Amino acid sequence: MSKVCKLLIWICGFLIASALAQLISLLPWSFLVIGVAAVVTYTKGKADNSMLLQIIAVGLTFGWCKCYFLG
């Protein structure tokens, strides 16, 4: 797979994870849900050497922080 395709997949994964986190932020205890999901996803990505899973974990965290701090 070319580097451009990988980059586009990573960007899409980040945007989808960020949007999902923004939806989850409407739920009570959303910080716990996002925190656990991000840690599990990042750990799994690190163990499998999967950059996509690590980017999704960062997208989840970014999306939640964006909603929490910026409104």
Side-chain angles (χ1 to χ4, degrees):
M1 190 181 306
S2 72
K3 297 222 183 245
V4 174
C5 289
K6 285 183 181 179
L7 183 63
L8 289 174
I9 290 171
W10 293 343
I11 290 171
C12 288
F14 179 85
L15 292 175
I16 290 169
S18 179
L20 182 66
Q22 290 177 23
L23 286 175
I24 293 173
S25 70
L26 299 172
L27 299 172
W29 298 92
S30 64
F31 65 92
L32 186 61
V33 173
I34 293 295
V36 170
V39 168
V40 168
T41 306
Y42 186 82
T43 304
K44 178 71 173 158
K46 195 74 166 169
D48 292 347
N49 201 19
S50 172
M51 183 64 83
L52 179 60
L53 287 176
Q54 294 175 20
I55 290 174
I56 288 173
V58 172
L60 284 170
T61 306
F62 175 79
W64 183 84
C65 287
K66 183 178 158 189
C67 279
Y68 185 76
F69 293 114
L70 299 178

